[in-house]
């Protein structure tokens, strides 16, 4: 009897010791905390540098321009190329980064803080964005990923709430002051349908392709699809549903950039 009790106690002690060892081996969760604080909203930054290309200097009081925002768009499924979109309560901005693996560090829902001084704000086909000047100094392009990492700090884990604006295709403004607010925001367009939904694919023959969604009044909005996206060869959903995306801009018109295939949801075919 004593032998059985001893064996049982020995077995329990092994389980306890093993459990303690497992607990001891688990490293503590490393939660990043930014050491710089925003002193400028995204809209204020865009308004301060409205020209085709300007280098961000310092504020009148000598401080750097520092913004913060939550990641709302990246290259998670390959439809957005070398761009990161962040938003705060005032506006959103597209950031050009020379990297094809942005999502691995800057995930959707991650808050980041950026020291913008030394970077450039400019227009790329009339889309206002943050980046760096081209080699010839005449336009804006992607900044080096190492430079962006130097300028940017993560704050917390990717769990910050994201505001999605309910859009109305017919009411999208086109004045430049309004574009500063609307461009690069995350929108959802409800009760819309794809032209030739259920028949066409998102892209044609491995090429970047523009499709269109329509509302019940016949107003249309371009939806840009990259041939490198994971859903490039999927069939457009049929029926009527909702489409989420970054409200981008190209030359003189809006275009929607879906971030992932699940951004088109709730589609139903009705008689």
């Amino acid at each position: 009897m004593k032998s059985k009790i001893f064996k049982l106690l020995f077995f329990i002690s092994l389980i306890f010791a093993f459990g303690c060892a497992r607990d001891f081996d688990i490293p503590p969760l490393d939660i990043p905390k930014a050491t710089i604080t925003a002193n400028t909203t995204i809209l204020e930054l865009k308004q301060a540098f409205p020209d085709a290309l300007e280098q961000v200097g310092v504020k009148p009081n000598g401080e750097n321009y520092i913004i913060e925002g939550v990641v709302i768009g990246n290259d998670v499924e390959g439809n957005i190329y070398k761009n990161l979109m962040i938003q705060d309560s005032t506006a959103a901005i597209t950031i050009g980064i020379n990297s094809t693996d942005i999502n691995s560090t800057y995930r959707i829902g991650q808050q980041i803080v950026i020291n913008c001084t030394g970077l450039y704000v400019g227009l790329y086909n009339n889309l206002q964005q943050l980046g760096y000047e081209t080699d010839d100094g005449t336009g804006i392009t992607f900044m080096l990923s190492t430079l962006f990492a130097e300028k940017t700090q993560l704050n917390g884990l990717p769990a910050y709430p994201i505001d999605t604006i309910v859009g109305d295709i017919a009411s999208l403004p086109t004045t430049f002051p309004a574009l500063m607010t609307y461009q690069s925001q995350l929108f959802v367009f409800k009760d819309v349908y794809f032209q030739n939904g259920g028949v066409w694919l998102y892209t044609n023959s491995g090429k970047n392709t523009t499709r269109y969604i329509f509302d019940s009044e016949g107003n249309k909005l371009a939806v840009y699809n990259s041939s490198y996206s994971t859903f490039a060869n999927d069939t457009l959903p049929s029926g009527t549903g909702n489409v989420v995306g970054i409200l981008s801009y190209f030359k003189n018109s809006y275009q929607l950039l879906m971030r992932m295939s699940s951004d088109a949801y709730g589609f139903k075919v009705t008689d």
Side-chain angles (χ1 to χ4, degrees):
M1 183 66 178
K2 290 182 178 180
S3 176
K4 291 181 179 180
I5 293 174
F6 175 77
K7 290 180 179 179
L8 178 61
L9 291 176
F10 179 71
F11 181 68
I12 292 173
S13 67
L14 286 177
I15 294 175
F16 180 76
F18 180 74
C20 290
R22 289 286 297 272
D23 291 341
F24 182 79
D25 291 339
I26 298 175
L29 184 62
D30 184 17
I31 300 177
K33 185 173 178 60
T35 59
I36 56 176
T37 303
N39 58 13
T40 309
T41 68
I42 293 175
L43 184 57
E44 287 172 342
L45 177 72
K46 296 171 85 169
Q47 290 173 335
F49 301 96
D51 293 337
L53 181 68
E54 291 185 83
Q55 186 171 29
V56 180
V58 296
K59 298 169 77 75
N61 62 5
E63 294 180 349
N64 290 348
Y65 281 88
I66 302 174
I67 62 172
E68 70 179 14
V70 177
V71 175
I72 56 173
N74 58 22
D75 56 4
V76 60
E77 288 192 12
N79 199 46
I80 294 174
Y81 179 69
K82 293 188 177 182
N83 281 330
L84 179 73
M85 293 82 173
I86 65 170
Q87 72 174 19
D88 63 13
S89 61
T90 66
I93 194 167
T94 294
I95 306 167
I97 308 167
N98 195 15
S99 171
T100 55
D101 191 25
I102 295 172
N103 178 65
S104 64
T105 302
Y106 307 102
R107 298 181 180 276
I108 291 175
Q110 173 68 60
Q111 187 180 64
I112 62 176
V113 186
I114 308 172
N115 179 359
C116 299
T117 294
L119 302 179
Y120 287 77
V121 175
L123 301 177
Y124 179 77
N125 285 311
N126 289 331
L127 173 67
Q128 193 176 23
Q129 60 184 47
L130 182 68
Y132 210 75
E133 67 175 344
T134 55
D135 290 340
D136 61 8
T138 62
I140 192 163
T141 187
F142 311 111
M143 73 181 85
L144 294 175
S145 59
T146 51
L147 176 60
F148 185 69
E150 291 173 5
K151 291 286 190 177
T152 304
Q153 296 183 8
L154 305 181
N155 191 44
L157 298 176
Y160 283 81
I162 296 174
D163 293 329
T164 304
I165 301 170
V166 178
D168 178 7
I169 298 175
S171 301
L172 295 176
T174 56
T175 65
F176 189 62
L179 288 178
M180 289 184 181
T181 300
Y182 274 68
Q183 284 184 354
S184 303
Q185 293 269 30
L186 186 65
F187 273 74
V188 57
F189 293 89
K190 297 185 175 182
D191 302 320
V192 296
Y193 63 92
F194 279 95
Q195 181 182 18
N196 286 314
V199 180
W200 288 352
L201 306 181
Y202 277 95
T203 63
N204 286 331
S205 304
K207 297 179 180 179
N208 300 338
T209 305
T210 298
R211 300 301 191 197
Y212 291 91
I213 54 173
F214 292 79
D215 63 18
S216 60
E217 303 298 323
N219 300 298
K220 69 178 182 179
L221 176 65
V223 180
Y224 177 84
N225 305 297
S226 169
S227 61
Y228 291 99
S229 70
T230 59
F231 51 90
N233 296 316
D234 291 352
T235 302
L236 295 169
S238 58
T240 301
N242 310 310
V243 181
V244 176
I246 301 296
L247 191 61
S248 190
Y249 205 79
F250 183 74
K251 294 185 177 178
N252 296 309
S253 60
Y254 288 100
Q255 61 179 10
L256 199 65
L257 302 178
M258 291 173 55
R259 304 160 302 165
M260 57 197 81
S261 59
S262 59
D263 278 342
Y265 69 95
F267 277 79
K268 297 179 181 179
V269 178
T270 57
D271 296 332

